[in-house]
Amino acid sequence: MSPSKVIPPPSLSDDVVMDLVHNIHNLDELLVATYASIYVWHFTSKIYGRTFNLPDQVPLHPVCLSMHPQESVFVAGTLDGRLVFWNISETEPLWVTTISELVGELKEDQVEERSLEPIFKLSWTSSDSGSSLTILGGRGGNQSRLTTLGFSSTSFLTLDQLVPEKTVVHNPSLCEDISDFVVITREKRILTLQKNSTVVIFGSEDRVDNGEASPGPLEEPFIPYQFRSSILAGYVLECSSDIPPQFIQFNDVTSIATGGLAISKDGPDSRLSKYDPPRLLVGIYGDRILRFDDASSKYLLTEGPLASPYPAPLTSLSIDIGSTLEEPLVFASLEDASACEVQRLEFIPASLELYVIFKSGEILVWKWHHEQVPFEEVKEAKDGRFVDITSLANGTTSFQPRVLINARVGAVSVLSVSEVGFAAISYAKGSFMLIDMRGPTVMTEQTIPATESISILKFVVCKQDEKSPRKLFLALFRVTGSISLLRITKESSRWVLGERIDIPSRKGLAHPIECFLIDIMTGEDMTATAHSVGDLFSHHNTNKKTPSSISSAEFYRVTVSHDSTSCHIGWSSKSISSIPTPKTATAGLLRQK
């Protein structure tokens, strides 16, 4: 039994779908193979079309389908190892046969005596001389499970034209454990996925006469996959192009999961890919290991198959969360280390900091460290809510543990981390903290009433009103639609809170899930960055006057809720537009936090 195709027991419904394939001559038609039938489904009219049957009402149990690349002919592989060819316009088959009969292994009137395994997969592709049909399964005994049949370019009007001109029987010893395959027509290669997660590459058109030795693989087995447990939390993010080159580099061929195979026909444009920023996949898996993979488009631009894995694993960045939780220093600071489940991840590319938030409310912080740079120790934490875990660092070029944040006030409901060194945390039980991570020290701690709970926390650099200069704020967006702005300013060598500005709910949007501040002149996001905060304290910025044309309309404030989207100019103006946008949260356009 091949793990790539699970055969349902007969006790299940006959309507279980086994395979689907488009009619290439009429894209409105879809061929559907169920456990007991094959029929045509029409997309436009949403009705069933003709049904394909076997002669004499013989039961039909199809497993897989494949359409000829040019002709109006398709083939079905069955549970009992037979191949059935149909003209798509006819309900009766052109031929019901087996691989042995097709390749001439059976003499005239001889019956197949061996029990055949099911045909698990078919792939009918174009070739230089006509077409090639690659078959997984349908053989018995010690015969090869992978066969390629080469057909001439003539149309299939008679049985003689269904007889293959050549046959490739692939090495049986390497085909015993194939779970899936994909044919790369241009490269004339077959990529076979073995049960041990290795990929063996075969040629698809090497002619082999019956009786001769079967061909072996063209190359040594390639290992692009290693099993990983189910992903528990993760996301993809784009990084700045000036991220340290030592950070994004992979040093082996381990990728993200085991499973089936597929080949993409269309890749990125090589002329534009050099402008693409690095794209990272960050995920925590069931084995409690946090892994980074480089999902940049450059890895899709290789000339040959499997020249590089995609996504490219950054194994030097992996973090064993489970081992960290078992460290005595960390274990003693947790209420129940065995029950710590990851709620979400937050990676800050500009500062190379990683925050792992647990459902019980604890937050572990790592920072990427290059071994040639002196290690920066955390200042002695007098606040019991911060546990210095830098003693667990090993000094290598990798992520090093920094601090454990445990306020012991329940689960985290909202977290916002800035690349300029601040973290804001809102807890489900109503507590709120603003932390300067350079200490770390708590800059403010408040109790938020349940009716005014926080939905979004956002660090921004913008104006308070049309007459004031730009400042650094933490914006608190509440469920009621009201907004509070906490000004963060620097006095001498430390950061402190300045005045607080409250914006009433009538000038916001209730139950917000995301808010964007967009500079009207440049179209840039006004989220606080190291560059924008640095400009606040530069001599050039102090003497710079804001053009009057934009003094009262510096930015658009676009707020999104579960069912609507509103747009304001600045903080205190009325809404200039509000439109219903139902199902926004489930559309996949916004990252769920």
Side-chain angles (χ1 to χ4, degrees), residues 115-133:
S115 59
L116 304 177
E117 67 172 346
I119 293 179
F120 295 107
K121 185 171 182 178
L122 298 165
S123 178
W124 211 340
T125 57
S126 298
S127 66
D128 295 339
S129 58
S131 64
S132 296
L133 177 61

Side-chain angles (χ1 to χ4, degrees), residues 563-577:
D563 53 14
S564 61
T565 300
S566 68
C567 181
H568 297 73
I569 295 180
W571 289 113
S572 57
S573 70
K574 295 182 179 180
S575 173
I576 61 173
S577 179

Side-chain angles (χ1 to χ4, degrees), residues 42 54 60 106 193 207 239 272 284 352 433 547 552 579 584:
H42 296 276
L54 291 180
L60 173 64
L106 296 179
L193 180 64
R207 178 160 187 166
C239 306
L272 302 177
I284 178 75
L352 300 179
M433 286 197 305
S552 60
I579 58 174
T584 301

Side-chain angles (χ1 to χ4, degrees), residues 103 147-150 164-169 206-210:
V103 302
T147 308
T148 300
L149 306 178
E165 289 188 339
K166 61 180 180 180
T167 303
V168 179
V169 180
D206 299 329
R207 178 160 187 166
V208 178
D209 296 326
N210 293 330

Side-chain angles (χ1 to χ4, degrees), residues 98 100 106 110-116 140:
T98 63
S100 297
L106 296 179
Q110 185 179 355
V111 179
E112 187 91 41
E113 296 179 354
R114 294 165 297 197
S115 59
L116 304 177

Side-chain angles (χ1 to χ4, degrees), residues 131-208:
S131 64
S132 296
L133 177 61
T134 303
I135 306 164
L136 177 60
R139 305 288 267 177
N142 296 323
Q143 294 179 306
S144 175
R145 300 180 69 238
L146 188 68
T147 308
T148 300
L149 306 178
F151 296 94
S152 67
S153 58
T154 57
S155 58
F156 295 125
L157 300 178
T158 66
L159 290 184
D160 292 341
Q161 294 167 341
L162 282 173
V163 176
E165 289 188 339
K166 61 180 180 180
T167 303
V168 179
V169 180
H170 300 281
N171 192 324
S173 62
L174 293 172
C175 298
E176 292 179 1
D177 296 324
I178 293 178
S179 60
D180 200 2
F181 74 88
V182 63
V183 178
I184 306 181
T185 306
R186 182 182 60 186
E187 303 284 346
K188 298 180 181 179
R189 298 288 187 266
I190 303 173
L191 309 183
T192 63
L193 180 64
Q194 309 286 318
K195 291 180 181 178
N196 64 0
S197 298
T198 62
V199 172
V200 178
I201 307 175
F202 293 92
S204 61
E205 294 190 5
D206 299 329
R207 178 160 187 166
V208 178

